[in-house]
Each structure stands twice: as C-alpha cells, then as structure tokens.
Amino acid sequence: MKAVISSTGLWTPTDSISNEELVESFNAYVDKWNSENAAEIEAGTKAALTYSNAEFIEKASGVKSRYAISKGPILDPNIMAPRIPARPDNEPSILAEIAAHAAKDALEKVGRSPEDVGAVIVACSNLQRGYPAVAVEVQDILGTSGFAFDMNVACSSATFGLETARGLIVGGQAKSVLVVNPEICTAHLNFKDRDAHFIFGDVATAILVEADDVAPAEHWEIIGSKLVTQFSNNIRNNFGFLNHCAPEDDGMTGERGKKGLTDKLFVQNGRSVFKEVVPMVAKMISTECEANGLDPHELKRMWLHQANLSMNHLIAKKVLGKDVELEKAPVVLDEYANTSSAGSIIAFHKYNDDFNDGDKGLICSFGAGYSAGAIFVRKVAA
C-alpha cells in the first residue's frame, strides 16, 4: 500500500499588515519608550531604542507583509501584541477553529466526507493548550472517525506530520489522514524586538494523505522522505507549564533583554541559524536525492520552508547549481511572512498547477530543533 497526497487546504486571515504599517507602529513605540526612559538613557544606564525600517526588512528577509488574526492591537504602540479573547470551554478554541477551516478546504476539493477520514494530526509550532489535544477537538468539529493527536516539531511540523500520516496508512491504522497546521505565529512574537518584530504571520494549512487505493485519480505519490533533528538553542521559546513553578520567571514580566517576557516568546540567533541550517538542509536534500535514485535537476520545483528569502535561494543554489532559476523555489513569504510549519505547504498549495504526470517535486521544511523534513513527490495525473 502506498500513501499519497490527495489535496491541500488553506485558510488565511482577513487582515494583512504591511511592512510600512508595522514600522510606523514600532517607531511610535520607540519614541514612547525613549521618552519614558530619557533620564536613564541620558545617564547611560539604559540604551535608547532605535527605529525599524521597511526597506531594510524587505531586503534582509524578503517579507513585505503578513496576515494577522489580531491586527489592531499589534499596531497599537501601547499594546504591541495580538489580543485574542479567551473562550469558554463549550466553544471551539481558536486554534481548532482555523484548523477546521483549512481541513474543510482540503476535503471539499476532492469531494471527501469527514466520515471518510480515519485520523487527524494537528502539527504546528505552538499548541494552544496541553490537553485535551487540539486535534481531538478538530475531529469533533469536523465529525471525522477514528482518532486524533497533536505533535510539535516547530517549523518542521508539517513534513514530520506528513511522514507520520504515511506511516499510519502503510501500517493499516487509517485510509485517510488529515494533517493540519494551524499557526498563530504572531502570538509568540515579541513585537517590541526590532530584530524579530517583522518575521511571523498567521495562517492554517491542511494536507489530506490517503492510501492510493482510495485516493482520487489525480494525486501526488510520496516517493521518498527523510527526517533529521539536531539539538540547538539558536531558535527557542521557553514558555510552558513549568513557568508557573518559577514565579520569579513566570514569562509575563521582564524588561527587554532580561529573563521574562522576551525569554518566553520567540528568540533566535539569526546569523548562526543561517550559517548552520543552510548546509544541513542542502546536504540532506542532495543525499536523499541520491538515495532515491533522483538527479536533483529532476525536481521541477522545491517548495521550501518560508523563513528567509536569501536562505531559500542559497539552499536552491547548493542543490541545483548557481544558475538555478529561482522560480524553482517559489516564494510566498513576501505576502505571508514566516508561517512556521505552514510555509512550505502554502508554497505547494499555490504553485503546483503546471505539473504534468510524472513530474517530481520536493516539500521541505526546516527550523527549530534543529529539525528538517524532506518529502519527495511525483504527480500522478488522471
């Protein structure tokens, strides 16, 4: 039995924030903070904050805008964070709600009923709670059968989820598996951090993985895969239930650069990440191409994780050569920013219509852990 990708789904928030809007808000916050701390800045006990710049953001990252669930509060210099009201337990949680939207999109595209789905995997960077599993809630909202569970491999969650779904199908646990990636990335981003305030956006994606004997005639055969992890502190988020046990470091207080709020949101050493992850991922792709009997140039497209434009360009060039056409690694982070595990799936969802029967491609993600996942696919046309 083979596992294939039958369809994908996408849910996008209504509101988008441009670089210009984000920078205007950040710079207003800088003026406010510098004014409030003028005496300490003058005395040399605190360093003045400096402005952000829209052109620099685009040049450094490739990001031009990002979608956000809670736009207004993010742009309010007095808040600088999303505001998502708590819901009573008898209402759908926000993460399950957006996951269900993306899942329904994937199911509708191939005329599949929720009852046909035997498993749901919610794979994302930041889960809303420890338990009950968000995936079980999605199962309940959709009305799918079988079982459901959550998993987190940071930005590689979608590819790790895909490989997990493949294993469930080959092992006979289910015929159809929904892998859903709800990413409310703005909720773990410190919008007061000049080096990171532009990085993330919100979105949800879904992938319907099925046994080939029940899949639609047109689908994507999974012809190879590889998962890799290597421990690193260069991308980290320390928020968790044990924060409650350390009230002096509970995660919701603290000044810039000190333990507290900045430690419990997204933090990274960007230069080290770039330097270490690019060769790691390029080597993984090249090695797995060889292991699967593929010439890298057979890959019509590489749908890469959408974190940084320069990073993707360099990986593509290392794998395919210096003269590679950059459309072979399509970009969506200019519109969506970094959406963690969902990024490579958005790229795959939007840029595969020109594939013919037998054409091959690669879905690849990489991020905190370090972690990296590669899923090689072949188009099967009716």
Side-chain angles (χ1 to χ4, degrees), residues 150-181:
D150 295 341
M151 61 182 292
N152 178 353
V153 200
C155 292
S156 297
S157 294
T159 49
F160 276 63
L162 269 169
E163 177 61 6
T164 301
R166 188 195 66 80
L168 292 173
I169 289 168
V170 172
Q173 292 287 344
K175 285 281 191 177
S176 297
V177 181
L178 267 171
V179 180
V180 197
N181 323 108

PDB file of all heavy atoms in Angstrom, residues 150-181:
ATOM      1  N   ASP A 150      -1.990  15.502  18.680  1.00  0.00           N
ATOM      2  CA  ASP A 150      -1.167  16.678  18.388  1.00  0.00           C
ATOM      3  C   ASP A 150       0.307  16.280  18.299  1.00  0.00           C
ATOM      4  O   ASP A 150       0.745  15.311  18.931  1.00  0.00           O
ATOM      5  CB  ASP A 150      -1.295  17.728  19.497  1.00  0.00           C
ATOM      6  CG  ASP A 150      -2.685  18.316  19.610  1.00  0.00           C
ATOM      7  OD1 ASP A 150      -3.461  18.198  18.638  1.00  0.00           O
ATOM      8  OD2 ASP A 150      -2.988  18.891  20.673  1.00  0.00           O
ATOM      9  N   MET A 151       1.072  17.079  17.562  1.00  0.00           N
ATOM     10  CA  MET A 151       2.518  16.913  17.533  1.00  0.00           C
ATOM     11  C   MET A 151       3.181  18.253  17.237  1.00  0.00           C
ATOM     12  O   MET A 151       2.589  19.130  16.614  1.00  0.00           O
ATOM     13  CB  MET A 151       2.954  15.858  16.512  1.00  0.00           C
ATOM     14  CG  MET A 151       2.588  16.146  15.076  1.00  0.00           C
ATOM     15  SD  MET A 151       3.093  14.809  13.939  1.00  0.00           S
ATOM     16  CE  MET A 151       4.877  14.956  14.019  1.00  0.00           C
ATOM     17  N   ASN A 152       4.409  18.409  17.706  1.00  0.00           N
ATOM     18  CA  ASN A 152       5.123  19.679  17.549  1.00  0.00           C
ATOM     19  C   ASN A 152       6.579  19.403  17.230  1.00  0.00           C
ATOM     20  O   ASN A 152       7.300  18.819  18.036  1.00  0.00           O
ATOM     21  CB  ASN A 152       5.010  20.503  18.831  1.00  0.00           C
ATOM     22  CG  ASN A 152       5.773  21.819  18.762  1.00  0.00           C
ATOM     23  OD1 ASN A 152       6.499  22.088  17.819  1.00  0.00           O
ATOM     24  ND2 ASN A 152       5.603  22.646  19.769  1.00  0.00           N
ATOM     25  N   VAL A 153       6.992  19.791  16.021  1.00  0.00           N
ATOM     26  CA  VAL A 153       8.398  19.768  15.639  1.00  0.00           C
ATOM     27  C   VAL A 153       8.739  21.144  15.069  1.00  0.00           C
ATOM     28  O   VAL A 153       9.442  21.274  14.061  1.00  0.00           O
ATOM     29  CB  VAL A 153       8.711  18.649  14.626  1.00  0.00           C
ATOM     30  CG1 VAL A 153      10.215  18.337  14.622  1.00  0.00           C
ATOM     31  CG2 VAL A 153       7.942  17.370  14.938  1.00  0.00           C
ATOM     32  N   ALA A 154       8.170  22.174  15.704  1.00  0.00           N
ATOM     33  CA  ALA A 154       8.406  23.559  15.306  1.00  0.00           C
ATOM     34  C   ALA A 154       8.123  23.739  13.821  1.00  0.00           C
ATOM     35  O   ALA A 154       7.110  23.259  13.323  1.00  0.00           O
ATOM     36  CB  ALA A 154       9.818  23.987  15.683  1.00  0.00           C
ATOM     37  N   CYS A 155       9.014  24.419  13.104  1.00  0.00           N
ATOM     38  CA  CYS A 155       8.760  24.736  11.695  1.00  0.00           C
ATOM     39  C   CYS A 155       8.735  23.508  10.791  1.00  0.00           C
ATOM     40  O   CYS A 155       8.309  23.597   9.640  1.00  0.00           O
ATOM     41  CB  CYS A 155       9.807  25.728  11.189  1.00  0.00           C
ATOM     42  SG  CYS A 155       9.675  27.365  11.941  1.00  0.00           S
ATOM     43  N   SER A 156       9.188  22.373  11.294  1.00  0.00           N
ATOM     44  CA  SER A 156       9.171  21.138  10.501  1.00  0.00           C
ATOM     45  C   SER A 156       7.942  20.284  10.780  1.00  0.00           C
ATOM     46  O   SER A 156       7.846  19.155  10.305  1.00  0.00           O
ATOM     47  CB  SER A 156      10.438  20.317  10.777  1.00  0.00           C
ATOM     48  OG  SER A 156      11.594  21.009  10.369  1.00  0.00           O
ATOM     49  N   SER A 157       6.997  20.810  11.535  1.00  0.00           N
ATOM     50  CA  SER A 157       5.849  20.009  11.964  1.00  0.00           C
ATOM     51  C   SER A 157       5.058  19.434  10.792  1.00  0.00           C
ATOM     52  O   SER A 157       4.575  18.291  10.863  1.00  0.00           O
ATOM     53  CB  SER A 157       4.929  20.844  12.858  1.00  0.00           C
ATOM     54  OG  SER A 157       5.557  21.191  14.068  1.00  0.00           O
ATOM     55  N   ALA A 158       4.891  20.181   9.711  1.00  0.00           N
ATOM     56  CA  ALA A 158       4.065  19.705   8.597  1.00  0.00           C
ATOM     57  C   ALA A 158       4.704  18.508   7.899  1.00  0.00           C
ATOM     58  O   ALA A 158       4.024  17.516   7.610  1.00  0.00           O
ATOM     59  CB  ALA A 158       3.815  20.829   7.596  1.00  0.00           C
ATOM     60  N   THR A 159       6.007  18.574   7.620  1.00  0.00           N
ATOM     61  CA  THR A 159       6.648  17.441   6.935  1.00  0.00           C
ATOM     62  C   THR A 159       6.758  16.239   7.864  1.00  0.00           C
ATOM     63  O   THR A 159       6.578  15.098   7.435  1.00  0.00           O
ATOM     64  CB  THR A 159       8.038  17.831   6.400  1.00  0.00           C
ATOM     65  OG1 THR A 159       8.791  18.467   7.432  1.00  0.00           O
ATOM     66  CG2 THR A 159       7.915  18.750   5.204  1.00  0.00           C
ATOM     67  N   PHE A 160       7.028  16.477   9.156  1.00  0.00           N
ATOM     68  CA  PHE A 160       7.039  15.366  10.101  1.00  0.00           C
ATOM     69  C   PHE A 160       5.632  14.773  10.219  1.00  0.00           C
ATOM     70  O   PHE A 160       5.472  13.554  10.359  1.00  0.00           O
ATOM     71  CB  PHE A 160       7.546  15.831  11.461  1.00  0.00           C
ATOM     72  CG  PHE A 160       9.044  15.842  11.595  1.00  0.00           C
ATOM     73  CD1 PHE A 160       9.834  16.669  10.799  1.00  0.00           C
ATOM     74  CD2 PHE A 160       9.678  15.025  12.513  1.00  0.00           C
ATOM     75  CE1 PHE A 160      11.213  16.698  10.927  1.00  0.00           C
ATOM     76  CE2 PHE A 160      11.072  15.027  12.642  1.00  0.00           C
ATOM     77  CZ  PHE A 160      11.847  15.868  11.845  1.00  0.00           C
ATOM     78  N   GLY A 161       4.616  15.635  10.170  1.00  0.00           N
ATOM     79  CA  GLY A 161       3.242  15.151  10.200  1.00  0.00           C
ATOM     80  C   GLY A 161       2.891  14.341   8.964  1.00  0.00           C
ATOM     81  O   GLY A 161       2.195  13.318   9.045  1.00  0.00           O
ATOM     82  N   LEU A 162       3.374  14.793   7.805  1.00  0.00           N
ATOM     83  CA  LEU A 162       3.155  14.050   6.563  1.00  0.00           C
ATOM     84  C   LEU A 162       3.752  12.649   6.637  1.00  0.00           C
ATOM     85  O   LEU A 162       3.117  11.662   6.255  1.00  0.00           O
ATOM     86  CB  LEU A 162       3.779  14.808   5.384  1.00  0.00           C
ATOM     87  CG  LEU A 162       2.899  15.800   4.643  1.00  0.00           C
ATOM     88  CD1 LEU A 162       3.740  16.652   3.703  1.00  0.00           C
ATOM     89  CD2 LEU A 162       1.840  15.049   3.840  1.00  0.00           C
ATOM     90  N   GLU A 163       4.980  12.560   7.121  1.00  0.00           N
ATOM     91  CA  GLU A 163       5.635  11.253   7.216  1.00  0.00           C
ATOM     92  C   GLU A 163       4.937  10.375   8.258  1.00  0.00           C
ATOM     93  O   GLU A 163       4.813   9.163   8.077  1.00  0.00           O
ATOM     94  CB  GLU A 163       7.109  11.433   7.573  1.00  0.00           C
ATOM     95  CG  GLU A 163       7.892  10.141   7.772  1.00  0.00           C
ATOM     96  CD  GLU A 163       7.939   9.236   6.544  1.00  0.00           C
ATOM     97  OE1 GLU A 163       7.455   9.630   5.453  1.00  0.00           O
ATOM     98  OE2 GLU A 163       8.461   8.113   6.676  1.00  0.00           O
ATOM     99  N   THR A 164       4.456  10.981   9.340  1.00  0.00           N
ATOM    100  CA  THR A 164       3.699  10.228  10.340  1.00  0.00           C
ATOM    101  C   THR A 164       2.405   9.693   9.737  1.00  0.00           C
ATOM    102  O   THR A 164       2.028   8.532   9.969  1.00  0.00           O
ATOM    103  CB  THR A 164       3.389  11.116  11.553  1.00  0.00           C
ATOM    104  OG1 THR A 164       4.615  11.592  12.116  1.00  0.00           O
ATOM    105  CG2 THR A 164       2.612  10.349  12.610  1.00  0.00           C
ATOM    106  N   ALA A 165       1.720  10.522   8.952  1.00  0.00           N
ATOM    107  CA  ALA A 165       0.487  10.091   8.287  1.00  0.00           C
ATOM    108  C   ALA A 165       0.764   8.948   7.323  1.00  0.00           C
ATOM    109  O   ALA A 165      -0.007   7.978   7.242  1.00  0.00           O
ATOM    110  CB  ALA A 165      -0.149  11.270   7.552  1.00  0.00           C
ATOM    111  N   ARG A 166       1.872   9.052   6.596  1.00  0.00           N
ATOM    112  CA  ARG A 166       2.242   7.975   5.671  1.00  0.00           C
ATOM    113  C   ARG A 166       2.426   6.667   6.423  1.00  0.00           C
ATOM    114  O   ARG A 166       1.943   5.610   6.002  1.00  0.00           O
ATOM    115  CB  ARG A 166       3.524   8.344   4.931  1.00  0.00           C
ATOM    116  CG  ARG A 166       3.900   7.366   3.801  1.00  0.00           C
ATOM    117  CD  ARG A 166       5.338   7.567   3.340  1.00  0.00           C
ATOM    118  NE  ARG A 166       6.272   7.201   4.404  1.00  0.00           N
ATOM    119  CZ  ARG A 166       6.627   5.944   4.680  1.00  0.00           C
ATOM    120  NH1 ARG A 166       6.103   4.930   4.006  1.00  0.00           N
ATOM    121  NH2 ARG A 166       7.481   5.694   5.654  1.00  0.00           N
ATOM    122  N   GLY A 167       3.104   6.734   7.576  1.00  0.00           N
ATOM    123  CA  GLY A 167       3.315   5.531   8.368  1.00  0.00           C
ATOM    124  C   GLY A 167       2.019   4.941   8.887  1.00  0.00           C
ATOM    125  O   GLY A 167       1.855   3.712   8.930  1.00  0.00           O
ATOM    126  N   LEU A 168       1.069   5.798   9.295  1.00  0.00           N
ATOM    127  CA  LEU A 168      -0.219   5.310   9.768  1.00  0.00           C
ATOM    128  C   LEU A 168      -0.976   4.582   8.666  1.00  0.00           C
ATOM    129  O   LEU A 168      -1.627   3.558   8.910  1.00  0.00           O
ATOM    130  CB  LEU A 168      -1.063   6.475  10.295  1.00  0.00           C
ATOM    131  CG  LEU A 168      -0.576   7.153  11.578  1.00  0.00           C
ATOM    132  CD1 LEU A 168      -1.413   8.393  11.865  1.00  0.00           C
ATOM    133  CD2 LEU A 168      -0.628   6.190  12.759  1.00  0.00           C
ATOM    134  N   ILE A 169      -0.876   5.100   7.460  1.00  0.00           N
ATOM    135  CA  ILE A 169      -1.579   4.476   6.331  1.00  0.00           C
ATOM    136  C   ILE A 169      -0.929   3.151   5.959  1.00  0.00           C
ATOM    137  O   ILE A 169      -1.613   2.125   5.789  1.00  0.00           O
ATOM    138  CB  ILE A 169      -1.612   5.445   5.136  1.00  0.00           C
ATOM    139  CG1 ILE A 169      -2.570   6.602   5.444  1.00  0.00           C
ATOM    140  CG2 ILE A 169      -2.035   4.723   3.861  1.00  0.00           C
ATOM    141  CD1 ILE A 169      -2.476   7.762   4.483  1.00  0.00           C
ATOM    142  N   VAL A 170       0.392   3.148   5.834  1.00  0.00           N
ATOM    143  CA  VAL A 170       1.102   1.916   5.487  1.00  0.00           C
ATOM    144  C   VAL A 170       0.906   0.866   6.574  1.00  0.00           C
ATOM    145  O   VAL A 170       0.812  -0.334   6.295  1.00  0.00           O
ATOM    146  CB  VAL A 170       2.606   2.208   5.269  1.00  0.00           C
ATOM    147  CG1 VAL A 170       3.391   0.920   5.094  1.00  0.00           C
ATOM    148  CG2 VAL A 170       2.795   3.106   4.049  1.00  0.00           C
ATOM    149  N   GLY A 171       0.808   1.311   7.827  1.00  0.00           N
ATOM    150  CA  GLY A 171       0.606   0.381   8.930  1.00  0.00           C
ATOM    151  C   GLY A 171      -0.829  -0.083   9.111  1.00  0.00           C
ATOM    152  O   GLY A 171      -1.114  -0.886   9.996  1.00  0.00           O
ATOM    153  N   GLY A 172      -1.741   0.445   8.303  1.00  0.00           N
ATOM    154  CA  GLY A 172      -3.124  -0.006   8.349  1.00  0.00           C
ATOM    155  C   GLY A 172      -3.987   0.658   9.404  1.00  0.00           C
ATOM    156  O   GLY A 172      -5.118   0.225   9.646  1.00  0.00           O
ATOM    157  N   GLN A 173      -3.511   1.733  10.029  1.00  0.00           N
ATOM    158  CA  GLN A 173      -4.292   2.410  11.062  1.00  0.00           C
ATOM    159  C   GLN A 173      -5.428   3.246  10.485  1.00  0.00           C
ATOM    160  O   GLN A 173      -6.440   3.478  11.150  1.00  0.00           O
ATOM    161  CB  GLN A 173      -3.377   3.300  11.906  1.00  0.00           C
ATOM    162  CG  GLN A 173      -2.379   2.553  12.761  1.00  0.00           C
ATOM    163  CD  GLN A 173      -3.037   1.866  13.940  1.00  0.00           C
ATOM    164  OE1 GLN A 173      -4.168   2.166  14.305  1.00  0.00           O
ATOM    165  NE2 GLN A 173      -2.341   0.913  14.531  1.00  0.00           N
ATOM    166  N   ALA A 174      -5.238   3.748   9.267  1.00  0.00           N
ATOM    167  CA  ALA A 174      -6.260   4.597   8.640  1.00  0.00           C
ATOM    168  C   ALA A 174      -6.062   4.585   7.131  1.00  0.00           C
ATOM    169  O   ALA A 174      -4.959   4.314   6.633  1.00  0.00           O
ATOM    170  CB  ALA A 174      -6.176   6.025   9.172  1.00  0.00           C
ATOM    171  N   LYS A 175      -7.126   4.878   6.420  1.00  0.00           N
ATOM    172  CA  LYS A 175      -7.055   5.019   4.962  1.00  0.00           C
ATOM    173  C   LYS A 175      -6.873   6.474   4.555  1.00  0.00           C
ATOM    174  O   LYS A 175      -6.280   6.760   3.517  1.00  0.00           O
ATOM    175  CB  LYS A 175      -8.344   4.473   4.329  1.00  0.00           C
ATOM    176  CG  LYS A 175      -8.445   2.964   4.288  1.00  0.00           C
ATOM    177  CD  LYS A 175      -7.623   2.387   3.155  1.00  0.00           C
ATOM    178  CE  LYS A 175      -7.932   0.922   2.930  1.00  0.00           C
ATOM    179  NZ  LYS A 175      -7.184   0.367   1.778  1.00  0.00           N
ATOM    180  N   SER A 176      -7.422   7.388   5.355  1.00  0.00           N
ATOM    181  CA  SER A 176      -7.324   8.816   5.069  1.00  0.00           C
ATOM    182  C   SER A 176      -6.920   9.541   6.350  1.00  0.00           C
ATOM    183  O   SER A 176      -7.530   9.335   7.404  1.00  0.00           O
ATOM    184  CB  SER A 176      -8.664   9.381   4.566  1.00  0.00           C
ATOM    185  OG  SER A 176      -9.052   8.794   3.343  1.00  0.00           O
ATOM    186  N   VAL A 177      -5.898  10.397   6.237  1.00  0.00           N
ATOM    187  CA  VAL A 177      -5.390  11.133   7.391  1.00  0.00           C
ATOM    188  C   VAL A 177      -5.313  12.610   7.041  1.00  0.00           C
ATOM    189  O   VAL A 177      -4.744  12.974   6.001  1.00  0.00           O
ATOM    190  CB  VAL A 177      -3.994  10.631   7.821  1.00  0.00           C
ATOM    191  CG1 VAL A 177      -3.500  11.404   9.044  1.00  0.00           C
ATOM    192  CG2 VAL A 177      -4.021   9.134   8.110  1.00  0.00           C
ATOM    193  N   LEU A 178      -5.867  13.438   7.897  1.00  0.00           N
ATOM    194  CA  LEU A 178      -5.742  14.887   7.742  1.00  0.00           C
ATOM    195  C   LEU A 178      -4.591  15.384   8.603  1.00  0.00           C
ATOM    196  O   LEU A 178      -4.571  15.160   9.818  1.00  0.00           O
ATOM    197  CB  LEU A 178      -7.022  15.592   8.175  1.00  0.00           C
ATOM    198  CG  LEU A 178      -8.073  15.896   7.114  1.00  0.00           C
ATOM    199  CD1 LEU A 178      -9.349  16.398   7.778  1.00  0.00           C
ATOM    200  CD2 LEU A 178      -7.569  16.912   6.095  1.00  0.00           C
ATOM    201  N   VAL A 179      -3.612  16.042   7.976  1.00  0.00           N
ATOM    202  CA  VAL A 179      -2.531  16.701   8.697  1.00  0.00           C
ATOM    203  C   VAL A 179      -2.821  18.199   8.626  1.00  0.00           C
ATOM    204  O   VAL A 179      -2.852  18.771   7.539  1.00  0.00           O
ATOM    205  CB  VAL A 179      -1.153  16.393   8.077  1.00  0.00           C
ATOM    206  CG1 VAL A 179      -0.053  17.098   8.870  1.00  0.00           C
ATOM    207  CG2 VAL A 179      -0.912  14.892   8.028  1.00  0.00           C
ATOM    208  N   VAL A 180      -3.068  18.807   9.779  1.00  0.00           N
ATOM    209  CA  VAL A 180      -3.493  20.204   9.807  1.00  0.00           C
ATOM    210  C   VAL A 180      -2.458  21.041  10.553  1.00  0.00           C
ATOM    211  O   VAL A 180      -1.945  20.623  11.592  1.00  0.00           O
ATOM    212  CB  VAL A 180      -4.874  20.354  10.483  1.00  0.00           C
ATOM    213  CG1 VAL A 180      -5.485  21.704  10.144  1.00  0.00           C
ATOM    214  CG2 VAL A 180      -5.811  19.238  10.055  1.00  0.00           C
ATOM    215  N   ASN A 181      -2.153  22.226  10.010  1.00  0.00           N
ATOM    216  CA  ASN A 181      -1.096  23.082  10.553  1.00  0.00           C
ATOM    217  C   ASN A 181      -1.641  24.475  10.861  1.00  0.00           C
ATOM    218  O   ASN A 181      -1.482  25.402  10.063  1.00  0.00           O
ATOM    219  CB  ASN A 181       0.063  23.183   9.557  1.00  0.00           C
ATOM    220  CG  ASN A 181       0.319  21.888   8.817  1.00  0.00           C
ATOM    221  OD1 ASN A 181       0.027  21.798   7.631  1.00  0.00           O
ATOM    222  ND2 ASN A 181       0.790  20.879   9.524  1.00  0.00           N
TER     223      ASN A 181
END
